[in-house]
Amino acid sequence: MKAPIRSVRIELTAPLSGVMFPLESVPDAVFAQKMVGDGVSIDPTSDELLSPLAGTVKQLHGAHHAATIAGENGLEVLLHIGLDTVTMRGEGFTPLVKEGDTVTAGQPLIRFDPVVVGAKAASLLTQMVIANGELVTRYVPARGLVEAGKDIALSLEMAVGATHDPSSDDRSAATAILSDEVTLPNPAGLHARPAAVVAAEAKKYRSDIRLLRGNASDGSNSASANAKSIVSIMALATRFGDTLRVQATGPDASEAAATLARLLAEGSGEKPGEAPAAAAPAAEPVSAARQVSTDVNELVGVPASPGIAVGKVVQYRKEVIDVAESGDSPQRERARLEAARHEARQHIETLKASLTDASKAQILDAHLELLDDPDLSDTTITRIGEGKSAGFAWREAFEQQAGALEKVDNPLLRERAGDIRDVGRRVLALLADVKQAQIDVPADSILIAEELSPSDTASLDRTRVLGFCTSMGGATSHVAILARSLGIPAICGIDETALQLADGTLVVLDGSRGTLRRDPSAEALNQARERIERQSARREQEKLAASKPAMTADGHRVEVVANIRNAQEARDAVAAGAEGVGLLRSEFLFDNRDTAPSEDEQATEYCAVAQALGAERPLVVRTLDVGGDKPLSYMPLPKEDNPFLGLRGLRVSLDRPDIFRTQLRAILRAADIGNLHVMFPMVTAIEEVLAARKLLLEEAGDRAKRIKIGVMIEVPAAALIAGPLAREVDFFSIGTNDLTQYTLAMDRGHPKLAKQADALHPAVLRLIGMTVEGAHAHGKWVGVCGGIASDAMAVPVLAGLGVDELSVSIPAVGSIKAQLARLTMPAARDLAAAALRLGTAAEVRALLAQFAE
Ligand code: PEP
Ligand code: MG
């Protein structure tokens, strides 16, 4: 039998004089969300941190800005002076004790210079939190002014008698905690984005955290990485299926190791098995994707961004930035480094704000993360300490990191070396006081460079630069991704002879084929100009179609709406000509955070989306669609052998009615503003729909009359019972991404199978046809919101099958509307009937290609 639990009261004296401040309001999520522990914050008026209780100094941080005191009863009190003070690396702090010292209540622990710390830290707010809060049953913080060492700042009630075996408590142990083995589900290993997610999570912990690959439990450099460093993680050069362990040492080691191991197993923010978003269709190494040409006037490379351009060569070379090797005092050099990084951060933020495509802005987010990379910082600071100038030390550090990445046997990671050099040069230029010139070129230029950084690319003057070629990099480089997003035709990995072309040489760049033709003949020039004209005529057609209601040439209405994630995208969708929103993927509100969003937070976003669409345009909000391939850190779902066949979509919501009801209430608030439709994902059975609808109607009250209820058809079972299912709802939307994977039994993200998982497979088309039939028999409408709806080639067959609405990606709105306008319904119906008679997706594609000609 367990010993009875009783409470004792413990009073902690104020470690500093000052004004008490609620921990929840501290402008630092880690403290405000009590990730480190519950407690108080003080806005200090004194400059000596005193121990709030008698005990021993369990930990004194290397940067001397924080200490943990272990009191009797096992209570551990963490004191943290200021916010972001760890980056000061000790500047302005004088420790007055060392680890292991016994201290009395009120004994000075750390003295700090309020002028230095106040100037450099994000804030002087000082936190006192209980690191082992599981022992505390009640917190009573003081209010108002407190005097250090005299007033009580925090009263606690602590359970005694609860089993607490200090030997099992990793907080008291300096020994490393090692997680179970995790098999990496990321097809491209931990490349920049998942590495950034892991590093961001690791930084929330105070422990030292390392990732060990294979059986390198000795932590040897070759197979282990600092989990807080994106560069170090990337340099580990992991691959799909590698086994990793997380090793944590420090006060929160157990939790850190468990959380990070879980995060890694779940794909670190990537869908497990998903091809990395950065990967273009040709994710081959440069040499493999390069065409071969026997024509000496045609230089070839990797098609990086489609389109044709005719212009004159402008060779672009980066200038070499010189820096002195030896520096001033280490303190000064560190301050210069900090100032340069601060300025670089502001430049990147400005550049980011100028990019319209949020997913491309993520590339610059990774640059921001690199700026703060602890490995880069540590190497630089060490070299500064050895007397080197900030510029010299910084250049050495980033060149070393980029060089290491270039050696790894993974094209995706090799590309990231370019990102490190980009960030590196940006800071270096600031340190050397060299103005990084905006690339200044005459009109009608085709830029040729060995390498362009993502920042160079993002700031190209689109009115003058018609296209570019680089001799380095491939289709997966961030430069290529940005070029596609900016709509600039581009070739990467071009034959190096291109670097020798004289400025002013007339060239034709074909970004779709990856060829650069120099001194084209009059005929080649004419052909290129004709193609450019055809392309721009098509674009004009699409622009025109975008502003008109979507319908076929013979007047049949098929609404074209958009798939979106947030209010900004709702505005973008309307601007692009979308007639509403056919799928708001609400899970994006739940993503990348540590706790579920509150009802108010959610309602704000749903209402903002509704506002952007206005009262008439339909808004279809899909309720939370997580589980399987879409994990959430704060909603741990049991590990399943077949997560795609387990708790997913609506099944999760019905399993967690608390979260579901909160979301429904939030969504329903948008009914007062817009034309609201609520849609449930991954429905298999009518019972699920009835249960979900009951909860929705209970929460809706009077609003029930103003909403429409629908389900996604993503599972063959739902398509097969479309008729009876249609009786229970107002509409269907077919999620062809999932419908295809469940019909063909092919994981939609599988690196080898994903290409064959084609939604134009006749089996999937038959299910779409059955869904439409079942719905129309009951007077209900059917949309398609899976990826195939955005493929202009598929439009005739979908329209021919009777689909009433196509919900497409925002950039596809114009081309899908234009495609509909070229179509007549009798032709579309004939085509659909012919497609249903075929046996393979390839045959369907061939048929549709003929139709398009
Ligand atoms: C689908 O499955 O087609 C769909 C639209 O849902 P998601 O891609 O978000 O799973
Ligand atoms: Mg789906």
PDB file of all heavy atoms in Angstrom, residues 585 622 625 630 648 682 712 714 735 737-738 748, ligand 2:
ATOM      1  N   ARG A 585      -8.027  23.473 -44.378  1.00  0.00           N
ATOM      2  CA  ARG A 585      -7.384  22.388 -43.608  1.00  0.00           C
ATOM      3  C   ARG A 585      -7.110  22.926 -42.202  1.00  0.00           C
ATOM      4  O   ARG A 585      -6.048  23.491 -41.945  1.00  0.00           O
ATOM      5  CB  ARG A 585      -6.090  21.960 -44.284  1.00  0.00           C
ATOM      6  CG  ARG A 585      -6.282  21.153 -45.561  1.00  0.00           C
ATOM      7  CD  ARG A 585      -4.941  20.689 -46.099  1.00  0.00           C
ATOM      8  NE  ARG A 585      -5.044  19.562 -46.990  1.00  0.00           N
ATOM      9  CZ  ARG A 585      -4.948  19.638 -48.324  1.00  0.00           C
ATOM     10  NH1 ARG A 585      -4.759  20.788 -48.902  1.00  0.00           N
ATOM     11  NH2 ARG A 585      -5.037  18.552 -49.062  1.00  0.00           N
ATOM     12  N   ARG A 622     -12.922  22.029 -42.751  1.00  0.00           N
ATOM     13  CA  ARG A 622     -12.779  20.619 -42.387  1.00  0.00           C
ATOM     14  C   ARG A 622     -12.336  20.542 -40.935  1.00  0.00           C
ATOM     15  O   ARG A 622     -11.400  21.238 -40.529  1.00  0.00           O
ATOM     16  CB  ARG A 622     -11.722  19.960 -43.276  1.00  0.00           C
ATOM     17  CG  ARG A 622     -11.420  18.544 -42.827  1.00  0.00           C
ATOM     18  CD  ARG A 622     -10.555  17.823 -43.812  1.00  0.00           C
ATOM     19  NE  ARG A 622      -9.153  18.182 -43.673  1.00  0.00           N
ATOM     20  CZ  ARG A 622      -8.205  17.721 -44.487  1.00  0.00           C
ATOM     21  NH1 ARG A 622      -8.525  16.928 -45.500  1.00  0.00           N
ATOM     22  NH2 ARG A 622      -6.955  18.050 -44.313  1.00  0.00           N
ATOM     23  N   ASP A 625      -8.023  17.055 -38.896  1.00  0.00           N
ATOM     24  CA  ASP A 625      -7.689  15.811 -39.612  1.00  0.00           C
ATOM     25  C   ASP A 625      -6.260  15.436 -39.248  1.00  0.00           C
ATOM     26  O   ASP A 625      -5.317  15.789 -39.936  1.00  0.00           O
ATOM     27  CB  ASP A 625      -7.813  16.045 -41.130  1.00  0.00           C
ATOM     28  CG  ASP A 625      -7.600  14.759 -41.917  1.00  0.00           C
ATOM     29  OD1 ASP A 625      -7.712  13.676 -41.318  1.00  0.00           O
ATOM     30  OD2 ASP A 625      -7.333  14.843 -43.127  1.00  0.00           O
ATOM     31  N   LYS A 630      -0.330  12.503 -39.871  1.00  0.00           N
ATOM     32  CA  LYS A 630      -0.329  13.895 -39.415  1.00  0.00           C
ATOM     33  C   LYS A 630      -0.328  13.931 -37.884  1.00  0.00           C
ATOM     34  O   LYS A 630      -1.369  14.118 -37.269  1.00  0.00           O
ATOM     35  CB  LYS A 630      -1.576  14.616 -39.940  1.00  0.00           C
ATOM     36  CG  LYS A 630      -1.703  14.601 -41.455  1.00  0.00           C
ATOM     37  CD  LYS A 630      -3.057  15.149 -41.854  1.00  0.00           C
ATOM     38  CE  LYS A 630      -3.261  15.082 -43.344  1.00  0.00           C
ATOM     39  NZ  LYS A 630      -4.634  15.360 -43.741  1.00  0.00           N
ATOM     40  N   ARG A 648      -7.474   8.060 -37.069  1.00  0.00           N
ATOM     41  CA  ARG A 648      -7.168   9.103 -38.062  1.00  0.00           C
ATOM     42  C   ARG A 648      -8.416   9.908 -38.307  1.00  0.00           C
ATOM     43  O   ARG A 648      -9.523   9.376 -38.236  1.00  0.00           O
ATOM     44  CB  ARG A 648      -6.810   8.439 -39.404  1.00  0.00           C
ATOM     45  CG  ARG A 648      -5.388   8.522 -39.789  1.00  0.00           C
ATOM     46  CD  ARG A 648      -5.258   8.356 -41.306  1.00  0.00           C
ATOM     47  NE  ARG A 648      -5.055   9.636 -41.942  1.00  0.00           N
ATOM     48  CZ  ARG A 648      -5.066   9.819 -43.262  1.00  0.00           C
ATOM     49  NH1 ARG A 648      -5.311   8.826 -44.075  1.00  0.00           N
ATOM     50  NH2 ARG A 648      -4.854  11.005 -43.755  1.00  0.00           N
ATOM     51  N   MET A 682     -12.124  11.729 -43.406  1.00  0.00           N
ATOM     52  CA  MET A 682     -11.877  10.289 -43.282  1.00  0.00           C
ATOM     53  C   MET A 682     -13.050   9.542 -42.661  1.00  0.00           C
ATOM     54  O   MET A 682     -12.938   8.908 -41.624  1.00  0.00           O
ATOM     55  CB  MET A 682     -10.627  10.050 -42.438  1.00  0.00           C
ATOM     56  CG  MET A 682      -9.532   9.429 -43.210  1.00  0.00           C
ATOM     57  SD  MET A 682      -9.137   7.700 -43.116  1.00  0.00           S
ATOM     58  CE  MET A 682      -9.265   6.966 -41.630  1.00  0.00           C
ATOM     59  N   MET A 712     -16.000  14.038 -46.158  1.00  0.00           N
ATOM     60  CA  MET A 712     -15.027  13.761 -47.200  1.00  0.00           C
ATOM     61  C   MET A 712     -15.158  12.302 -47.607  1.00  0.00           C
ATOM     62  O   MET A 712     -15.363  11.433 -46.770  1.00  0.00           O
ATOM     63  CB  MET A 712     -13.611  14.015 -46.686  1.00  0.00           C
ATOM     64  CG  MET A 712     -13.362  15.483 -46.466  1.00  0.00           C
ATOM     65  SD  MET A 712     -11.630  15.832 -46.266  1.00  0.00           S
ATOM     66  CE  MET A 712     -11.022  15.653 -47.930  1.00  0.00           C
ATOM     67  N   GLU A 714     -12.990   9.632 -48.739  1.00  0.00           N
ATOM     68  CA  GLU A 714     -11.557   9.360 -48.842  1.00  0.00           C
ATOM     69  C   GLU A 714     -11.256   7.871 -48.719  1.00  0.00           C
ATOM     70  O   GLU A 714     -10.109   7.453 -48.823  1.00  0.00           O
ATOM     71  CB  GLU A 714     -10.804  10.092 -47.721  1.00  0.00           C
ATOM     72  CG  GLU A 714     -10.962  11.584 -47.788  1.00  0.00           C
ATOM     73  CD  GLU A 714     -10.144  12.297 -46.732  1.00  0.00           C
ATOM     74  OE1 GLU A 714     -10.627  12.364 -45.572  1.00  0.00           O
ATOM     75  OE2 GLU A 714      -9.067  12.786 -47.032  1.00  0.00           O
ATOM     76  N   GLY A 735     -11.718  13.420 -51.316  1.00  0.00           N
ATOM     77  CA  GLY A 735     -10.284  13.606 -51.042  1.00  0.00           C
ATOM     78  C   GLY A 735      -9.529  12.543 -51.827  1.00  0.00           C
ATOM     79  O   GLY A 735      -9.278  11.448 -51.335  1.00  0.00           O
ATOM     80  N   ASN A 737      -6.538  12.264 -52.670  1.00  0.00           N
ATOM     81  CA  ASN A 737      -5.201  11.849 -52.203  1.00  0.00           C
ATOM     82  C   ASN A 737      -5.338  10.585 -51.357  1.00  0.00           C
ATOM     83  O   ASN A 737      -4.644   9.595 -51.560  1.00  0.00           O
ATOM     84  CB  ASN A 737      -4.542  12.944 -51.348  1.00  0.00           C
ATOM     85  CG  ASN A 737      -4.519  14.286 -52.040  1.00  0.00           C
ATOM     86  OD1 ASN A 737      -4.578  14.349 -53.261  1.00  0.00           O
ATOM     87  ND2 ASN A 737      -4.466  15.371 -51.292  1.00  0.00           N
ATOM     88  N   ASP A 738      -6.265  10.649 -50.397  1.00  0.00           N
ATOM     89  CA  ASP A 738      -6.460   9.472 -49.553  1.00  0.00           C
ATOM     90  C   ASP A 738      -7.252   8.385 -50.269  1.00  0.00           C
ATOM     91  O   ASP A 738      -6.959   7.204 -50.122  1.00  0.00           O
ATOM     92  CB  ASP A 738      -7.168   9.865 -48.247  1.00  0.00           C
ATOM     93  CG  ASP A 738      -6.158  10.359 -47.221  1.00  0.00           C
ATOM     94  OD1 ASP A 738      -5.119   9.683 -47.065  1.00  0.00           O
ATOM     95  OD2 ASP A 738      -6.382  11.406 -46.604  1.00  0.00           O
ATOM     96  N   ARG A 748       0.477   7.116 -49.854  1.00  0.00           N
ATOM     97  CA  ARG A 748       0.551   8.303 -50.713  1.00  0.00           C
ATOM     98  C   ARG A 748       1.918   8.987 -50.656  1.00  0.00           C
ATOM     99  O   ARG A 748       2.260   9.754 -51.541  1.00  0.00           O
ATOM    100  CB  ARG A 748      -0.561   9.299 -50.340  1.00  0.00           C
ATOM    101  CG  ARG A 748      -0.420   9.835 -48.934  1.00  0.00           C
ATOM    102  CD  ARG A 748      -1.684  10.522 -48.458  1.00  0.00           C
ATOM    103  NE  ARG A 748      -1.647  11.961 -48.646  1.00  0.00           N
ATOM    104  CZ  ARG A 748      -2.596  12.785 -48.244  1.00  0.00           C
ATOM    105  NH1 ARG A 748      -3.697  12.307 -47.671  1.00  0.00           N
ATOM    106  NH2 ARG A 748      -2.512  14.062 -48.430  1.00  0.00           N
TER     107      ARG A 748
HETATM  108 MG    MG B   2      -7.175  13.287 -46.804  1.00  0.00          MG
END
